[in-house]
Amino acid sequence: MNETTLTYRRYEEGDHKYSDLTENIFKAGWSGKCPTYVHRAPPCQAACPSGHDVRGWMNIVRGIDKPTNGMSWQEYAFWRMVEANPFPALMGRTCPALCQDKCNRRDVDDHIGINAIEHYIGDWALEKGLSFPKPDQETGRRIAVVGGGPAGLSCAYQLRRKGHSPVVFEAKAALGGMLEYGLSGHRCPRDIVHKEIQRVLDMGVEARVNTAVGVDVSIEDLEKEFDAVFWGIGAWSGNPVPVPGWGDAPNCIDGLAFLRAFNEGRLQYLTGRTLVIGGGNTAMDCAGVARRLGTKTDVPADLRPERVVLGEVEHAPTPVSERAPCDAWIVYRRPFAAAPADQHEKDAVVDEGVEIHESLAPVEVIRGPDGNATAFKVIRADWSTGKMVVQEGSEFEIPCDLIIAATGQSSVFKGIEALDNGKGLIAADGYYQVASRPGHFVGGDAIYPDLLTTAVGHGWKAAEGIDRYVQSLDLMKRPRVDIHRFDMADKLSEAGRGPTEYDHEPLRGTSDADFAIHNYTDRSDMEVVTTAKLFVGHFPVKPRNVRIVNQIGPDCVGDTRSRLNALTEEQIIDEANRCMSCGLCFECDNCVIYCPQKAVFRRKKDERTLGRYVDTDYDKCIGCHICRDVCPTGYIQMGLGD
Ligand SMILES: Cc1cc2nc3c(=O)[nH]c(=O)nc-3n(C[C@H](O)[C@H](O)[C@H](O)COP(=O)(O)OP(=O)(O)OC[C@H]3O[C@@H](n4cnc5c(N)ncnc54)[C@H](O)[C@@H]3O)c2cc1C
Ligand code: SF4
Ligand code: SF4
């Protein structure tokens, strides 16, 4: 595809009937249908688990939605972002960007670099030292937040914004959960983790670290001291590989414990060949970390890596010059192409010298006389039918020194066993409330292990439930499209033209009433706009601005450089200009230009705001629907007068 490639065709190859536009126009002339403006949710936003107002920040970056108080556009975009998610610099680096997978622009050329824009704005705000304001009013309600990971911190942040006083209980010495102890530093730089968390604490969020609920504090203590409880305890127990010998060999270890030992600086090197079993992001992190750690030879038995991972000893700091590259393998049951880890993570580990051994089903751990694993027995699997068919007689042993399981997680319930739903997780109802435990809410990996943005989204939704619970209000059913949405009333109010309070006086007709927003329907809580509703012919092909990825390469022992580089200011504006603003006017003027009746007109400058850029003179409109046909964003619907 090049920049002259057509992005829209009215007729497909082989079509021999054409629709008579003139005929349609005249038919429409007496159909009585005129344009009305309908706001729908864009798919990027609907796909983002934290419900980011993606289109909103795109329109700020490209300059359509301007701040009214002299604020810079970067800051305005930042405030819009953190409505949903207080960690934009981290999300921009680590989120697998489900939003991009669903972006309508993929039907034209390539998705918008949403994640890269988040990265830029997040970094900009950190550089400028922006802090979150304290709430204007204190409610006096105290909420216990158990777990200082992304779910707990997001919940605490949203509660604090509402004026409540959350107290975060964290079992570990540092906040952050997997951001601190799980994801490797080359993907998730710790200075950024600490700064984005500090910004939440500075709002007046209290944190009690080294305090495990269930061990140091009981559920009953929390119930006595607090008005509600949020459980964001994550899923910290790695599942073992279910084969004979696994539980008996000390050098068959849990990937989460391995990463934690590395992230705490206790583990400085490996020995011999390391196998990582699994194909998710945790497996990629373990393999990437193994390559960065490297190996030492002649390591005494009591300093072997598994002893460190099990917390029995710590390695002394070991210079890179004393470590050789690690022979790290990923062993995966399915074809590697089907592995659930993000493609760029898979590409990166291959670039960094990890060997991929795919379609190998685990059979047994082979142990030596000292009980340690000496090899991992596997059998070849054929997936050509979509199901695993093991190839009888194809078993073989892979000699190794360490085997790391990265094959799923569950929560740890020490002292809080009553919360376990029997599957190692916590069951939630539709309000993110712990099943049959009013006043206890839950979110993040504790419900089901997923992503950072999912945990942040749960924290926000649970905070909304908690807010209502502590006011003794009924919990509200979550909308079908559960996102942070553009609100026309807020936008009009920002421009000093918000709707007035409804006075409940009897009125005949509302066409002149100031309490109503006229000729506008908001369907964004129930409807997502697809490409079929857009006029994509408006958009020429335009290549995506792609972030430069540092190719670390196989010589990576001790390498802590992060992989992703942010785009420049010019690049992100260019990228935001690619956004098709699905579901909301972006002021392209097509309807004004193409209306044959000159019925569509631009509103006066002082009456315009986002989504209120044009209006229709219904005395002139003949219902030809050309405005709808040429609206690139799908904001116009023929219907008024139906
Ligand atoms: C190796 C790895 C790599 C990943 N990579 C990515 C990625 O690239 N992108 C992505 O989006 N997601 C990734 N994830 C998933 C992501 O990290 C999780 O989905 C997310 O951290 C879940 O947040 P959480 O707050 O629910 O749980 P956690 O981050 O696990 O935090 C839970 C917190 O609760 C604390 N806690 C637990 N029990 C108690 C208790 N009883 N009392 C007090 N505190 C307690 C824990 O110490 C922890 O700090 C990865 C996960 C792993 C393991
Ligand atoms: S948090 Fe992830 S899914 Fe949501 S907008 Fe950002 S990159 Fe997209
Ligand atoms: S084009 Fe823009 S609004 Fe539409 S889905 Fe993509 S990012 Fe979202």
Side-chain angles (χ1 to χ4, degrees), residues 91 94-96 146-153 169-172 174-179 181-184 187 211-215 231-236 255-256 259 281-283 285-286 342 345 409 412 414 416 443-446 448-456:
M91 292 300 138
T94 57
C95 184
V146 187
L153 291 170
F169 291 84
E170 170 52 57
K172 306 264 176 323
L175 296 172
M178 290 300 174
L179 289 168
Y181 296 103
L183 281 77
S184 43
R187 295 205 296 120
T211 312
V213 175
V215 178
W231 296 92
I233 58 172
W236 276 69
L256 297 179
L259 289 170
N281 278 333
T282 305
D285 263 333
C286 290
D342 308 329
E345 296 305 333
Q409 306 149 239
V412 178
K414 198 168 172 200
I416 49 175
D445 280 5
Y448 55 87
D450 199 39
L451 299 171
L452 296 163
T453 176
T454 311
V456 169

Side-chain angles (χ1 to χ4, degrees), residues 232-352:
I233 58 172
W236 276 69
S237 168
N239 297 340
V241 181
V243 291
W246 184 272
D248 307 317
N251 57 340
C252 290
I253 57 168
D254 162 15
L256 297 179
F258 168 75
L259 289 170
R260 189 175 158 201
F262 167 75
N263 286 322
E264 289 176 340
R266 294 183 276 123
L267 181 63
Q268 295 278 318
Y269 50 80
L270 301 173
T271 56
R273 177 181 291 153
T274 291
L275 307 185
V276 178
I277 317 300
N281 278 333
T282 305
M284 300 310 129
D285 263 333
C286 290
V289 162
R291 290 290 298 168
R292 281 167 177 75
L293 277 168
T295 55
K296 268 184 78 165
T297 44
D298 303 326
V299 173
D302 60 350
L303 284 179
R304 284 190 46 81
E306 64 271 16
R307 300 278 161 220
V308 180
V309 172
L310 294 170
E312 295 167 10
V313 287
E314 282 186 22
H315 283 159
T318 309
V320 171
S321 56
E322 291 179 19
R323 298 184 253 158
C326 172
D327 181 14
W329 291 24
I330 283 181
V331 178
Y332 187 47
R333 214 159 54 91
R334 296 169 180 269
F336 192 56
D342 308 329
Q343 191 56 47
H344 60 265
E345 296 305 333
K346 294 198 269 185
D347 295 343
V349 295
V350 172
D351 167 56
E352 289 160 12

Side-chain angles (χ1 to χ4, degrees), residues 129-257:
L130 293 192
S131 53
F132 295 140
K134 292 204 164 84
D136 295 337
Q137 280 186 331
E138 300 286 344
T139 65
R141 307 287 186 179
R142 302 184 74 235
I143 323 293
V145 172
V146 187
L153 291 170
S154 158
C155 185
Y157 163 73
Q158 298 287 2
L159 288 168
R160 192 69 195 122
R161 291 179 76 205
K162 293 176 188 299
H164 303 309
S165 302
V167 177
V168 178
F169 291 84
E170 170 52 57
K172 306 264 176 323
L175 296 172
M178 290 300 174
L179 289 168
E180 180 69 33
Y181 296 103
L183 281 77
S184 43
H186 55 270
R187 295 205 296 120
C188 176
R190 295 304 188 263
D191 56 329
I192 296 193
V193 173
H194 300 154
K195 283 183 195 160
E196 289 206 320
I197 291 177
Q198 191 59 45
R199 205 163 46 192
V200 174
L201 298 181
D202 290 345
M203 296 168 82
V205 171
E206 183 187 336
R208 297 185 192 165
V209 294
N210 292 316
T211 312
V213 175
V215 178
D216 304 306
V217 184
S218 69
I219 299 185
E220 291 71 30
D221 293 337
L222 296 185
E223 284 175 340
K224 265 187 232 138
E225 198 189 334
F226 295 93
D227 296 295
V229 185
F230 173 78
W231 296 92
I233 58 172
W236 276 69
S237 168
N239 297 340
V241 181
V243 291
W246 184 272
D248 307 317
N251 57 340
C252 290
I253 57 168
D254 162 15
L256 297 179

Side-chain angles (χ1 to χ4, degrees), residues 47-50 52 54 57 85 91 95 97-99 114-115 118 453:
C48 170
S50 48
H52 257 303
V54 176
W57 14 290
N85 190 321
M91 292 300 138
C95 184
L98 312 184
C99 53
I114 300 171
N115 208 217
E118 218 172 349
T453 176

